[in-house]
Structure formats: C-alpha cells, structure tokens
Amino acid sequence: METLVELIALKRDGGHLTESQIARLIRAHGAGELADYQMSALCMAIFFRGMDDAETVALTRAMLGSGDVIDLSDVPGLKVDKHSTGGVGDKVSLCLAPLVAACGVPVPMVSGRGLGHTGGTLDKLEAIPGFKVTLDVPTFRRIVREVGTCMIGQTDRIAPADKRIYALRDVTATVEAIPLIVASILSKKLAEGIDALVLDVKVGRGAFMKSIEDARALATALVRVGTAAGKDVVALLTDMSAPLGRAVGNANETREALEVLKGGGPADLLECTLALGAEMLVIGGVAADLAAARAELRRAIADGRGAATAEKMIAAQGGDPRVVEDTSRLPRAPHTVEVLAESDGFVAGIDALEVGLASVAMGAGRTRADQAVDHAVGIDLEVARGDEVRRGQPLARLAVRDVAAAAETAARVRAAFRIAPERPAEASLVLERITSRS
Ligand code: URA
C-alpha cells in the first residue's frame, strides 16, 4: 500500500485518487497520523490539480463519514433543506424554512454564523430573546417532526473533518478550490439527513463568487456531486451585487424576514423566498410544478400558516414567539444616524461588499470566528436600486450605540451608493437555474 506522502505526491502530479485512498487520507488526518501541514499540502495540490466528480464525491463521503448523519426516518415526507453560499442581507432562511414547512415539506436546517462581510443565520436567530441554536439531536429531530422545521448550529458530530480542514484552508489560501468547497458544503448538508437540497449560489460583489462563470462552475459542481451522492439537488444563481432586501445586521434582518411571513417585506426578498421555496415544494413532492408551488407559498403567507409555523419553531427553541406579531420586541440600538444623498439622481447600484463591511465595522458581524456580535446594531437601506432620490434625502439609517463613533461607517455606507443621472435597466434576481439535467 502507498504511503500517505505518496498519495499527496500522486495528487501533486495530477493523478487520480481512488475512493479508498481519499477515505484513508481523511481518516488518517482525523487520527493524527497525517499532520496538518500534510493535509495543507494536499489541499494545495487539489487547488492546482482539481478533482473529478468521482474524487469529489469520495471526499464528500469521507468528510461526512467523519461524523454522524442525523436519522430523520421517523419524520414523514421528503426532507428538503436550502443552502446559500452567503451574502449581505441574506435573511432568506428565516422566512423560507417556516414557510416551506407550513406547506408540508419538513426542513431540517443546520446553519452557520457570519464571517467576514457576510451575515449568518444563527446570529440573526439569536437576536430573538431566548432563542437557542444549540440543541441536542433528539430535540432537533422532535422539533422537525412536531413543527416541520428546526434551525440549529453545526454540532461537533456534524462533519468534524470539514471543521478541521476548513481551518487549515482558511490560513493556507486554499478556500477557493471548487472540489474543496463542494465537499465542505455537501458533507455538512448531507449530515442533516435530508433527501434533497436547493442551493442559492450568490453572484456578485457581496458574494463569495464574484463572476457568473465562477458561480456557474460552483453550482454545476454542487449539483453534479450532490446528485452523484444520491440526493435531488437544484441550484439557483441569484444576484448579490446589492444587499438583499433593505436590512443588514441581525435583529433588523430578523424583523424583515418576519415581515415577509406577514405579507410584507421588500420585493426582492419575497422573490428570492418564493423562487427557492417553489423549488423546495416541487423537489419535496408537494407541488406539481413551480407555478403551483408559488401559489401555495403565497397562500401560506396570506392565511398566516407561515407566520404560525415561525411562532411554533421559535417557542420550541426557547425563544419569545411574540416577536412574530410584534417585531418591536427585537433589540434595536438606541440611536439612529441618517446617511443622506449628496446629489439628485437614480440609485444605479448599492455595493453589497461595502455595506457588508460597514455592518461588520459597526459590530453586527465578526472578523474572527471567536468574536461576539451586537444584535441590536444594523443598517436599514431606505432606497433600492432604480429609485429616484433627491439631494438630502435619507439613503440609509444606521441603528448605533454611539453616534460619534458612527461617522466613519456612515461615510462608508454613503460611498456604497452609486447615484446616476439615468434610471438603471431592470435586473433580475434569479440569474440561472441549474439542475442535474441542465
Ligand atoms: N462554505 C463552506 O461551508 N465551505 C467552504 O469551503 C466554502 C464556503
């Protein structure tokens, strides 16, 4: 049998690793027989040489097998989750999961925290007083069965190999390798015990993938590898050049997501929720086609089923369910700073990356994984792309704790707005749809 060093050399030289060789490498790393510097070298070899689908499936399975797969066989129906590659203002999971569950598709969701300029679902949920994102697996299973959805953080037993390898990739410039990203995302999602997955691959300034070509390559690989791993997978490429919705932060994003469940909320957030939700209802087998699925999602908003499911989920997870009815129960920092337009014109663009970084600088996000976030601060955009504005009109309002300290952030948010003399052309939110047949 080859040594572990010979296997690293095989990939370095552009060779193909077999399923059992990949499993050996991952097992050896978990057991401490393959050192972190050797795993880092392997990641760099994969970065330059790539992996084919069979290798990526084997890597996904090996990372999945480093932990447990949650058994949801006692929950009736096809279990479907959604994963977003992350963006600014992306609070879709908070309204999507209860809405889809209310339509009869169980949604077991293991989510992440914000890192860098992108926010995380867990931080937004924790803005709800009392809400617990750390639950044991039997409780998670019971809530999915009784309520239809439960949203928790990654446990130590969910793909621990991914946690170890991601920490190395983060500091060895090997995050941006498609096979590594695919195995990282899918190993965690497959551990949830799902039957199918809908992916929201974000594209643009505020996203991980800045170009449509890169996003398409990632989405295609995720769909192919997820399908080869035996799951039904669909991906939508959606625009992340501007923040999604109007709120960027934590409590304010939760507020906005709850507004969608009550029939309000901004048009782009509703559209993203309906587009992904429709895929989930079809793939989950409760709607015949996307049009019927959209109609059912709209009914579940109009008749209050989505909001009622959110209340039940919040109560089951220890949170105050009254926030759904009365979002003023969510925390909000005491002071407001207005960001005013400096000229007349049309909003031609709002740079999602700059708004995300401004939000982090205010304390709503983190630059290191061990930092705490301030749930009460955030940015509320007062205008959207395409709106006409007049000089002196508020473009955004910042919820802050210290007005003097917010001056720099306010300047940064102002600079994120591109005001032009002409109204920009309409742009669609959903850019492409990728299935195993596309
Ligand atoms: N998100 C993940 O979970 N893993 C990656 O490798 C990149 C993004």
Side-chain angles (χ1 to χ4, degrees):
M1 194 164 48
E2 316 83 350
T3 64
L4 296 172
V5 177
E6 283 169 334
L7 295 183
I8 298 170
L10 179 67
K11 181 45 73 185
R12 179 201 63 197
D13 297 338
H16 175 96
L17 291 166
T18 65
E19 177 156 15
S20 67
Q21 289 169 335
I22 290 170
R24 249 183 83 207
L25 286 159
I26 297 298
R27 255 198 325 270
H29 186 233
E33 293 154 16
L34 185 79
D36 281 350
Y37 48 79
Q38 292 175 298
M39 179 52 83
S40 302
L42 178 66
C43 288
M44 192 59 88
I46 295 170
F47 181 93
F48 281 114
R49 294 298 192 169
M51 278 183 144
D52 66 18
D53 282 359
E55 289 176 299
T56 313
V57 172
L59 183 61
T60 304
R61 288 216 169 103
M63 291 186 2
L64 175 65
S66 68
D68 301 332
V69 175
I70 298 173
D71 179 5
L72 292 177
S73 54
D74 63 342
V75 178
L78 295 174
K79 275 70 71 181
V80 185
D81 192 12
K82 184 269 309 189
H83 176 79
S84 160
T85 55
V88 178
D90 182 3
K91 70 283 289 174
V92 169
S93 292
L94 279 77
C95 40
L96 179 72
L99 188 60
V100 168
C103 295
V105 176
V107 184
M109 194 176 269
V110 177
S111 301
R113 295 199 178 274
L115 189 61
H117 69 279
T118 65
T121 299
L122 299 181
D123 297 321
K124 294 166 205 181
L125 286 168
E126 282 178 344
I128 300 170
F131 196 96
K132 288 187 204 60
V133 298
T134 310
L135 300 177
D136 58 27
V137 169
T139 306
F140 176 71
R141 198 185 296 130
R142 178 180 57 75
I143 296 174
V144 174
R145 195 175 54 236
E146 291 176 2
V147 177
T149 186
C150 183
M151 301 166 86
I152 59 168
Q154 192 176 355
T155 72
D156 288 347
R157 293 300 303 151
I158 291 182
D162 171 62
K163 206 167 189 172
R164 286 190 294 269
I165 297 170
Y166 192 88
L168 299 177
R169 290 168 55 209
D170 205 20
V171 292
T172 56
T174 51
V175 168
E176 298 87 349
I178 283 186
L180 297 177
I181 298 172
V182 168
S184 169
I185 291 174
L186 290 182
S187 62
K188 286 181 293 227
K189 285 285 145 182
L190 301 191
E192 296 169 342
I194 50 170
D195 300 290
L197 181 62
V198 174
L199 293 154
D200 182 5
V201 178
K202 300 279 184 204
V203 191
R205 280 277 294 164
F208 196 45
M209 294 291 159
K210 311 284 183 215
S211 75
I212 188 96
E213 292 78 18
D214 288 349
R216 190 183 295 128
L218 176 60
T220 307
L222 282 162
V223 169
R224 276 201 322 258
V225 172
T227 306
K231 306 295 169 189
D232 246 337
V233 187
V234 176
L236 299 183
L237 303 190
T238 68
D239 181 54
M240 185 34 74
S241 48
L244 185 64
R246 301 292 184 94
V248 179
N250 292 293
N252 60 342
E253 290 201 37
T254 302
R255 186 175 299 120
E256 192 171 73
L258 294 174
E259 293 305 335
V260 167
L261 288 176
K262 294 191 290 181
D268 60 343
L269 177 59
L270 174 64
E271 172 55 22
C272 198
T273 305
L274 293 177
L276 293 162
E279 299 287 353
M280 293 172 81
L281 296 201
V282 171
I283 215 168
V286 304
D289 55 38
L290 293 173
R294 272 182 179 258
E296 174 60 3
L297 291 164
R298 284 190 184 277
R299 273 194 296 276
I301 291 174
D303 65 19
R305 272 178 292 147
T309 303
E311 282 175 351
K312 284 188 210 146
M313 179 193 77
I314 292 168
Q317 298 196 229
D320 180 356
R322 293 173 299 177
V323 296
V324 178
E325 183 62 35
D326 176 10
T327 55
S328 71
R329 290 178 178 275
L330 291 162
R332 185 175 173 89
H335 305 291
T336 299
V337 171
E338 288 189 334
V339 174
L340 305 178
E342 288 176 335
S343 57
D344 295 349
F346 293 90
V347 180
I350 307 172
D351 186 327
L353 178 60
E354 284 302 314
V355 175
L357 291 171
S359 161
V360 173
M362 292 169 74
R366 51 172 76 75
T367 49
R368 277 195 338 262
D370 58 350
Q371 278 172 336
V373 300
D374 185 345
H375 298 108
V377 299
I379 301 167
D380 289 300
L381 306 174
E382 298 297 328
V383 293
R385 187 176 177 280
D387 286 353
E388 186 169 10
V389 293
R390 296 257 164 241
R391 187 165 187 271
Q393 178 182 336
L395 299 175
R397 289 192 165 84
L398 316 183
V400 301
R401 294 198 186 272
D402 179 342
V403 173
E408 210 176 303
T409 309
R412 189 162 201 170
V413 172
R414 187 177 299 107
F417 282 85
R418 197 154 47 83
I419 308 293
E422 306 289 325
R423 192 186 292 276
E426 296 262 327
S428 23
L429 179 79
V430 178
L431 305 171
E432 282 180 29
R433 176 172 185 269
I434 294 176
T435 67
S436 54
R437 286 173 291 280
S438 46

